[in-house]
Amino acid sequence: MSYEELLTEIALSDERFIVMTAENRALVRNIPAKLGNRFIDTGITEQTMIGAAAGLALRGRIPVVHALASFLTMRAFEFVRTDAGIPNLPVKLSSFIPGFLSDGNGPTHQAVEDIALMRGIPNMTVFAPADEDDLVKMLPQIWSHPHPSYVRINTRKTDYVHSPFELGKAEVIAEGDDVTILTYGLLFEQALIAVEILKKEGLSVGLVNLRSLKPVDEQAILHATRNSKLTVTLEDHFLTGGLYSIVAEVLLKHSLTANVLPFALNEKWFKPSLLPNVMEHEGFTGKQIAEKILGYNTRFHQPEISIPQFSE
């Protein structure tokens, strides 16, 4: 099932759902004809859309709103914080092309601080599915939950079949004594490749899909850091405020320390290009990740990275 099919099915079965967009219909092209006046396009007015969504939520509706991730989180930040966060309304934010998925765009259209911004809002919940299978397994619970939510929409199709979703719980793929990779979203694909290379090099490797970033699975983080010699955080986000910061906060909360290697954008945006080139240039391919962890080059070949459906 696709994102659009899931949203259509849920909206048709529950009249509380309203689908909204700030002139960004890529994910919902076929929905207007099916929902009629329960589909609202406010134009390129992200702030207005969030304000209207909050008003609808106050009247018992569940608005699912769509916009480019950079503008949904930054242009409309005050409205998200004030209109949805403070009153704790069930406004559901669907962010389009977050992180490296905004591959062909420059810094103005790159949402690589979105996790930091959204998780800083009291009452806001934050999620980042690994692919479309993960996405459609997560959304029913997220949309039925009474709090506002921010979801990094990821419609990439992979062969991986994810476990059922539980709010606030990580998906533990494997446990390892030498290295455990903690990741979320798009980079789960590359983490799987890195894990295979590391295993072939003789390491015991764990992998955790932290699909729920707020609430976060503290026990999964603590278990990984306590039981692996090295914990790796892997994310298409700034180093500040994302997963690396989350891990640091959890460790400090429990008076612990750990050997942590972060893969993130450190005080920089990424170079615009098609996704395979972005990954290669920024050092986020599975092969590059594994080799940085190992400290030496390997003979393994990097599998082809598919260009996103909505590549800019």
Side-chain angles (χ1 to χ4, degrees):
M1 180 177 285
S2 70
Y3 173 86
E4 185 178 52
E5 289 167 345
L6 176 68
L7 179 53
T8 302
E9 180 181 287
I10 289 177
L12 289 175
S13 67
D14 188 340
E15 290 193 352
R16 293 176 301 165
F17 278 83
I18 306 290
V19 177
M20 305 181 72
T21 182
E23 201 173 279
N24 182 241
R25 300 193 182 198
L27 293 169
V28 292
R29 293 193 190 282
N30 299 305
I31 287 182
K34 296 176 180 177
L35 287 191
N37 61 9
R38 284 197 290 133
F39 177 86
I40 301 168
D41 188 339
T42 65
I44 306 176
T45 55
E46 289 85 359
Q47 302 102 314
T48 298
M49 178 179 66
I50 296 299
L56 287 164
L58 282 169
R59 297 178 65 85
R61 302 289 190 168
I62 302 173
V64 182
V65 303
H66 302 79
L68 292 181
S70 55
F71 305 125
L72 188 59
T73 58
M74 290 183 281
R75 178 177 291 162
F77 178 80
E78 179 190 356
F79 292 76
V80 173
R81 171 192 176 273
T82 303
D83 294 355
I86 291 175
N88 195 19
L89 295 172
V91 176
K92 309 300 180 178
L93 309 178
S94 286
S95 79
F96 186 59
I97 56 173
F100 287 158
L101 289 174
S102 186
D103 52 349
N105 291 309
T108 59
H109 287 57
Q110 293 176 13
V112 287
E113 61 274 270
D114 56 328
I115 303 297
L117 290 171
M118 292 295 101
R119 77 182 186 92
I121 299 174
N123 299 315
M124 181 64 70
T125 54
V126 179
F127 307 94
D131 48 42
E132 190 164 57
D133 179 69
D134 206 18
L135 177 70
V136 298
K137 284 176 176 170
M138 293 170 63
L139 286 175
Q141 279 197 47
I142 294 168
W143 287 342
S144 64
H145 202 256
H147 298 297
S149 66
Y150 174 77
V151 181
R152 271 189 162 198
I153 299 298
N154 181 2
T155 58
R156 285 174 69 79
K157 292 173 173 57
T158 70
D159 295 329
Y160 196 86
V161 179
H162 293 271
S163 62
F165 174 69
E166 184 179 349
L167 199 76
K169 293 294 184 181
E171 181 185 31
V172 179
I173 311 302
E175 296 190 17
D177 299 328
D178 294 316
V179 181
T180 298
I181 299 175
L182 306 178
T183 192
Y184 61 81
L186 165 72
L187 290 173
F188 179 78
E189 290 180 45
Q190 300 309 307
L192 287 172
I193 296 167
V195 166
E196 287 307 306
I197 294 173
L198 293 170
K199 283 182 177 179
K200 288 173 182 176
E201 290 294 292
L203 296 184
S204 172
V205 189
L207 175 60
V208 180
N209 174 22
L210 280 165
R211 61 216 312 204
S212 178
L213 293 165
K214 184 187 175 189
V216 73
D217 192 338
E218 292 191 7
Q219 291 307 310
I221 292 172
L222 292 171
H223 184 80
T225 54
R226 284 169 171 159
N227 292 281
S228 286
K229 297 182 182 73
L230 174 67
T231 302
V232 173
T233 58
L234 175 62
E235 57 188 324
D236 52 340
H237 189 276
F238 285 145
L239 184 65
T240 301
L243 180 54
Y244 181 64
S245 294
I246 291 170
V247 170
E249 291 163 13
V250 170
L251 291 173
L252 186 59
K253 177 180 175 180
H254 292 272
S255 302
L256 296 171
T257 188
N259 184 19
V260 179
L261 172 65
F263 285 80
L265 293 164
N266 191 7
E267 294 290 317
K268 66 188 289 289
W269 286 270
F270 60 84
K271 182 179 179 179
S273 186
L274 291 178
L275 184 63
N277 299 325
V278 171
M279 297 283 219
E280 179 74 28
H281 183 269
E282 302 298 342
F284 284 81
T285 68
K287 185 174 189 290
Q288 289 170 315
I289 294 161
E291 291 178 346
K292 185 171 181 180
I293 292 168
L294 290 165
Y296 58 82
N297 293 334
T298 69
R299 58 182 175 77
F300 297 101
H301 174 69
Q302 167 65 34
E304 183 179 353
I305 299 172
S306 64
I307 295 173
Q309 176 186 1
F310 301 110
S311 182
E312 293 292 302

